[in-house]
Amino acid sequence: MLESYVTPILMSYVNRYIKNLKPSDLQLSLWGGDVVLSKLELKLDVLEQELKLPFTFLSGHIHELRIHVPWTKLGSESVVITINTMECILKLKDGMQDDHESCGSNSTNRSTTENTKSSVKPRRIQQAAPTDPDLPPGYVQSLIRRVVNNVNIVINNLILKYVEDDIVLSVNITSAECYTVGELWDRAFMDISATDLVLRKVINFSDCTVCLDKRNASGKIEFYQDPLLYKCSFRTRLHFTYDNLNSKMPSVIKIHTLVESLKLSITDQQLPMFIRIMQLGIALYYGEIGNFKDGETEDSTCQNKDTLGNFTGVGDETRIDMQYKGQELYSQQEDEQPQGWVSWAWSFVPAIVSYDDGEEDYLGIDSPSTTQQQKAQTLKDPIVSIGFYCTKATVTFKLTEMQAESSYYSPQKVKSKEILCWEQEGTTVEALMMGEPFFDCQIGFVGCRAICLKGIMGVKDFEENMNRSETEACFFICGENLSMKGLTYLTNSLFDYRSPENNGTRAEFILDGAHHKETYTEIAGMQRFGAFYMDYLYTMENTSGKGSGNQQDVSSGKSEDLGIVQEKSTKSLVIGPLDFRLDSSAVHRILKMIVCALEHEYEPYSRLKPDIKDESEIILNPEEMASLEEYIPTRHTSITLLKCTCTIFMAEFNLLDQLLPVIMGEKNSSNFMNTANFQSLRPLPSIQILVDKINLEHSVPMYAEHLVHVVSSLTQPSDNLLHYCYAHCYLKIFGFQAGLTSLDCRGSYCLPVPIIPSFSTALYGKLLKLPTCWHCATC
């Protein structure tokens, strides 16, 4: 009976995440073909352990769960799992108790973690796996794989909430459906085969709404803000490539999302909270959450490790344990050090695509995948490509004010007014990684512009009755038009019909740092996009000859086989031809946004340690000194601006002396709110600045604190070591010129009168890192 093999697997997954289920009732319902469960509570601890999220669940429940199993067509029709109304509330984990129990009890923590993981596995149902001679083990395995690969998951009304301090971030998705598709991305019943080791899936999200509100001390939201995102629909394509039929994990994973139209709305009250959420993402990315608070001290063992230069990569995306002493840079002990976001995200990838280790136990058979050769293959990290693509995006900034109703007892309402809009076309965000030693992120967009809307602080400069043109309202333009550029932002994505995956071939990836820099140059980036291009590359290479492409040896923990591991972090940003008009309307709107962004009193997620030199001196022998000087990891950043035009206009209205109190958050004054007599001045004198190219390069040691503590303790450090103890900045300007011009009534400029002829120049500066340490060293 097929039911004897399929039912235990379905039951195990349901019982794993849901509380208080009776296996007997569930089993009988499944054999009937349909299961309906209502008012279910989720096992929050299991979700946290399974998902490995840096958050803890405060609550989680499902209103209704439906499971449909087509027993008569199990080999050709999908199992459908439908969830109606699922709500989860999350908050950030308390890093002190989760990440810093003890520095000396790593073995205990490791064994506890392993026991926890083993306890999460589904329990075997002994009576549900009989031996049927009519169903050979190979057929059962193939059938189970087909069933799992074609499960159709539908979620109606998904609600996720995140709470922190006075912030309430809620995400409501009306409908989300995941199903298997064929080569043309149409719904189909598919499975991997020897000739086509590919599995494709699609996830459609309908009507996604994101709200960001502020709650009071009692936890209630007094005034609801406009949604950040309202009823946005998008689709995600997933492409898994396997090496063979027995592979439990894909060798290549592609997850790409496309949004046709993205409309964001941010009010002045939401802006500080929005920045706080962004800071949370950055803190998770760099692994800064969970650091010690003020007044707390680490264990003496941890202090000794820090004294030896045991570096934790809080400045890059991976957790790196660097030891200056002897340059034995890696001891991959993941349970001992806090991990960065990428390490966390990477650990989550197998949970998405791999089969459960206990499935063969349910079948009661021995699988050939348990051989030593297959186990060795599972150690190899897959190539993961994650992409986000948006055809057109708009961000509207609004100012809010309280408006009372006519009745005295009526509650106050929040009224918002648009003042600024940012439009962007052809946006791409791509991340490529293979294990921790290689990570690359590329961001770009084809064109963008910023537009002034309506009035600002009572100045009705762009109200409809002013009859001002859109050209005057637009004060920032960069890049090209998407209709002229084409769909280059989708190049090699799963939404590009020319991509290898959409033409039946296997994609090739560049995972070598040197080859990557030769291929993805600034010129290539601007040819693909046109307005903005950023390439962030982090590599970790072994000088013994095993580069980042063979990172399996790095993660195996065999330090005796390793040479010196070299870290490299480079960021390249290129901004295309841009035109910036700095007039009174733009200045007031920009200043208001800056002030609104600063109006928050949130505690930082991590505090910088004071620049105090450790009392314990670090003494290095000659071999250690030579190893230290051989390679010092640095972070290099390059910013290039091409063909910049900046026009600074004479003030059409100058209300800064009256607007400063308003900008600082005080109430509006009635003596200047009536601006009916506002008139645009024409001709309008201005200064026009033209620059052919601006290049800014910045380099800083990757682990400045530990490097300075080592070098400052030396009596006569070399010039090379001293060089890396500075942050270096190079500024190059080409073709800078300025002239006087004016703007007439038709929106045209007169011929500029040169006041500064074209010239080029270069500047260099450096800043000593942690100067207090050097002061202590000279005392």
Side-chain angles (χ1 to χ4, degrees):
M1 295 290 291
L2 292 177
E3 294 88 340
S4 302
Y5 295 95
V6 178
T7 300
I9 296 179
L10 296 176
M11 291 174 58
S12 66
Y13 280 99
V14 175
N15 189 46
R16 185 192 309 188
Y17 300 109
I18 297 177
K19 293 181 181 179
N20 304 325
L21 282 182
K22 294 181 179 180
S24 58
D25 296 341
L26 181 61
Q27 183 174 351
L28 292 175
S29 300
L30 279 174
W31 284 5
D34 290 281
V35 177
V36 179
L37 303 173
S38 301
K39 298 181 180 180
L40 305 175
E41 294 292 332
L42 298 176
K43 295 181 180 179
L44 305 181
D45 54 343
V46 175
L47 286 176
E48 295 176 11
Q49 295 167 3
E50 286 280 304
L51 301 179
K52 301 178 183 179
L53 293 169
F55 305 97
T56 182
F57 286 85
L58 297 178
S59 66
H61 62 270
I62 295 176
H63 179 71
E64 184 182 70
L65 172 64
R66 292 178 175 267
I67 303 177
H68 172 70
V69 183
W71 293 115
T72 59
K73 300 179 180 179
L74 198 57
S76 60
E77 189 174 324
S78 300
V79 174
V80 181
I81 300 176
T82 304
I83 299 175
N84 294 320
T85 307
M86 177 178 177
E87 182 175 2
C88 295
I89 301 178
L90 305 90
K91 77 178 186 71
L92 194 64
K93 280 185 177 180
D94 297 329
M96 299 307 107
Q97 59 185 9
D98 293 338
D99 300 331
H100 296 282
E101 292 291 341
S102 165
C103 195
S105 59
N106 295 318
S107 59
T108 304
N109 293 337
R110 189 181 299 109
S111 62
T112 303
T113 303
E114 292 175 355
N115 294 334
T116 303
K117 289 181 179 180
S118 62
S119 65
V120 172
K121 293 183 179 181
R123 287 175 287 181
R124 182 185 301 183
I125 302 176
Q126 300 291 345
Q127 70 275 14
T131 302
D132 192 338
D134 296 332
L135 296 176
Y139 171 77
V140 175
Q141 277 190 300
S142 176
L143 178 62
I144 295 300
R145 187 181 64 238
R146 288 173 62 87
V147 171
V148 173
N149 288 341
N150 289 275
V151 171
N152 187 2
I153 301 176
V154 180
I155 302 178
N156 297 316
N157 194 20
L158 174 62
I159 303 173
L160 299 175
K161 292 184 180 181
Y162 170 75
V163 293
E164 178 191 347
D165 294 334
D166 60 346
I167 299 175
V168 178
L169 175 66
S170 61
V171 180
N172 192 332
I173 300 177
T174 302
S175 176
E177 183 178 8
C178 176
Y179 54 89
T180 305
V181 295
E183 295 182 357
L184 300 179
W185 300 99
D186 296 327
R187 190 189 298 265
F189 192 91
M190 304 294 296
D191 192 16
I192 60 174
S193 61
T195 57
D196 188 16
L197 298 171
V198 171
L199 182 65
R200 302 174 181 86
K201 288 183 176 292
V202 167
I203 306 177
N204 290 327
F205 298 89
S206 300
D207 294 343
C208 176
T209 300
V210 180
C211 298
L212 186 60
D213 299 292
K214 179 179 292 188
R215 60 178 183 173
N216 54 24
S218 61
K220 296 182 179 180
I221 300 176
E222 297 179 353
F223 308 103
Y224 286 93
Q225 303 289 323
D226 293 343
L228 284 179
L229 183 66
Y230 184 68
K231 290 189 176 182
C232 176
S233 299
F234 52 95
R235 61 185 186 273
T236 299
R237 291 181 176 179
L238 299 91
H239 189 280
F240 305 124
T241 304
Y242 295 84
D243 288 334
N244 52 67
L245 290 176
N246 295 324
S247 299
K248 285 192 174 183
M249 177 180 290
S251 58
V252 180
I253 303 170
K254 269 194 168 184
I255 305 174
H256 292 176
T257 300
L258 175 63
V259 182
E260 296 290 345
S261 178
L262 185 67
K263 297 181 179 181
L264 295 176
S265 172
I266 303 178
T267 65
D268 51 352
Q269 298 183 22
Q270 291 174 329
L271 186 59
M273 297 186 289
F274 182 78
I275 295 176
R276 178 65 171 180
I277 298 298
M278 295 179 61
Q279 292 174 347
L280 172 63
I282 296 174
L284 291 173
Y285 177 80
Y286 286 118
E288 296 175 351
I289 293 181
N291 292 343
F292 292 93
K293 295 180 181 180
D294 296 340
E296 294 182 350
T297 58
E298 302 180 29
D299 189 83
S300 59
T301 306
C302 300
Q303 292 179 350
N304 293 334
K305 287 186 177 182
D306 288 339
T307 303
L308 292 177
N310 200 9
F311 293 168
T312 301
V314 297
D316 269 81
E317 57 277 359
T318 57
R319 180 198 51 77
I320 306 301
D321 295 333
M322 291 191 55
Q323 294 184 355
Y324 269 128
K325 190 171 185 177
Q327 285 288 340
E328 297 177 358
L329 301 180
Y330 283 91
S331 57
Q332 294 281 343
Q333 302 173 356
E334 298 180 357
D335 296 331
E336 298 181 9
Q337 297 292 341
Q339 296 186 359
W341 177 86
V342 169
S343 299
W344 160 75
W346 183 256
S347 66
F348 182 57
V349 168
I352 303 177
V353 296
S354 64
Y355 301 110
D356 193 270
D357 296 336
E359 288 180 5
E360 287 131 9
D361 295 337
Y362 290 110
L363 301 178
I365 57 177
D366 294 330
S367 171
S369 63
T370 59
T371 61
Q372 189 66 25
Q373 180 179 2
Q374 292 294 335
K375 289 182 179 180
Q377 290 180 359
T378 58
L379 296 176
K380 183 179 179 181
D381 290 318
I383 300 173
V384 179
S385 172
I386 301 175
F388 173 82
Y389 309 90
C390 181
T391 303
K392 185 175 181 179
T394 59
V395 181
T396 305
F397 184 70
K398 303 178 180 179
L399 294 181
T400 59
E401 59 181 8
M402 304 304 300
Q403 186 177 23
E405 295 294 326
S406 58
S407 174
Y408 177 81
Y409 297 99
S410 299
Q412 289 184 327
K413 293 185 178 181
V414 177
K415 181 181 178 181
S416 60
K417 183 178 182 180
E418 301 174 349
I419 65 167
L420 186 63
C421 179
W422 175 274
E423 297 180 353
Q424 191 168 296
E425 292 183 321
T427 304
T428 296
V429 180
E430 295 176 334
L432 178 66
M433 64 186 81
M434 188 176 74
E436 291 188 346
F438 183 91
F439 177 83
D440 177 68
C441 179
Q442 297 186 22
I443 301 175
F445 49 84
V446 174
C448 65
R449 65 174 187 169
I451 305 174
C452 295
L453 300 176
K454 297 185 178 180
I456 175 71
M457 303 296 185
V459 180
K460 301 179 181 180
D461 48 352
F462 284 100
E463 294 287 352
E464 296 180 358
N465 57 1
M466 296 302 299
N467 296 324
R468 301 184 69 178
S469 64
E470 186 176 351
T471 304
E472 295 180 282
C474 182
F475 65 90
F476 181 85
I477 302 177
C478 183
E480 307 176 32
N481 191 286
L482 186 61
S483 59
M484 300 177 60
K485 189 71 173 180
L487 301 179
T488 55
Y489 71 101
L490 294 176
T491 301
N492 288 331
S493 71
L494 296 179
F495 299 95
D496 181 13
Y497 68 93
R498 301 165 298 181
S499 65
E501 292 84 0
N502 291 330
N503 288 275
T505 60
R506 186 161 181 166
E508 297 182 358
F509 300 91
I510 300 176
L511 302 173
D512 178 72
H515 190 194
H516 178 92
K517 293 180 181 178
E518 293 176 357
T519 304
Y520 298 102
T521 60
E522 295 180 353
I523 297 177
M526 296 308 293
Q527 287 178 349
R528 179 183 177 185
F529 298 104
F532 176 82
Y533 171 70
M534 186 201 78
D535 182 22
Y536 176 23
L537 176 65
Y538 174 87
T539 58
M540 190 170 66
E541 299 179 355
N542 188 358
T543 57
S544 63
K546 301 175 183 178
S548 60
N550 189 17
Q551 86 294 347
Q552 179 178 345
D553 298 329
V554 177
S555 59
S556 62
K558 298 180 179 180
S559 58
E560 63 271 11
D561 296 335
L562 298 179
I564 297 177
V565 179
Q566 298 182 354
E567 296 178 82
K568 297 180 181 179
S569 174
T570 58
K571 308 177 189 67
S572 300
L573 292 88
V574 187
I575 302 175
L578 61 88
D579 186 1
F580 186 31
R581 296 159 45 99
L582 201 59
D583 55 10
S584 298
S585 300
V587 168
H588 288 85
R589 285 166 172 81
I590 293 173
L591 288 178
K592 180 58 179 177
M593 287 188 61
I594 293 175
V595 172
C596 292
L598 297 176
E599 288 181 346
H600 64 86
E601 298 179 355
Y602 298 113
E603 292 291 332
Y605 288 108
S606 63
R607 296 182 181 272
L608 296 176
K609 296 181 179 180
D611 300 342
I612 300 177
K613 184 177 176 61
D614 295 337
E615 296 181 359
S616 57
E617 296 293 337
I618 303 174
I619 302 176
L620 302 181
N621 57 42
E623 294 180 357
E624 295 168 346
M625 184 62 63
S627 179
L628 173 62
E629 293 209 34
E630 182 177 350
Y631 184 81
I632 298 177
T634 59
R635 287 196 292 268
H636 183 266
T637 303
S638 175
I639 303 176
T640 303
L641 280 74
L642 303 174
K643 297 293 182 181
C644 304
T645 301
C646 180
T647 306
I648 305 175
F649 293 91
M650 186 187 74
E652 293 182 89
F653 56 92
N654 184 9
L655 302 176
L656 288 181
D657 55 339
Q658 298 176 339
L659 286 176
L660 279 178
V662 179
I663 294 176
M664 298 306 296
E666 298 182 10
K667 295 183 178 180
N668 295 341
S669 178
S670 58
N671 58 351
F672 66 95
M673 293 301 295
N674 187 4
T675 55
N677 295 327
F678 169 78
Q679 296 289 336
S680 59
L681 303 178
R682 295 295 183 272
L684 185 63
S686 60
I687 298 177
Q688 193 172 73
I689 301 174
L690 304 176
V691 183
D692 291 337
K693 181 179 179 180
I694 299 177
N695 178 254
L696 175 64
E697 295 186 2
H698 180 266
S699 63
V700 64
M702 191 173 292
Y703 307 101
E705 180 180 355
H706 302 278
L707 175 64
V708 169
H709 285 165
V710 173
V711 178
S712 62
S713 63
L714 303 177
T715 55
Q716 292 183 347
S718 64
D719 294 340
N720 182 53
L721 292 179
L722 290 176
H723 174 82
Y724 284 99
C725 292
Y726 285 84
H728 301 269
C729 185
Y730 303 84
L731 177 63
K732 301 176 184 178
I733 302 176
F734 302 93
F736 181 94
Q737 57 181 321
L740 293 176
T741 183
S742 62
L743 182 67
D744 57 21
C745 299
R746 296 170 297 179
S748 303
Y749 295 96
C750 66
L751 187 65
V753 178
I755 56 175
I756 300 179
S758 178
F759 73 96
S760 301
T761 185
L763 300 174
Y764 167 74
K766 61 180 182 179
L767 178 65
L768 183 64
K769 303 298 291 184
L770 304 175
T772 55
C773 294
W774 298 95
H775 176 73
C776 296
T778 58
C779 294

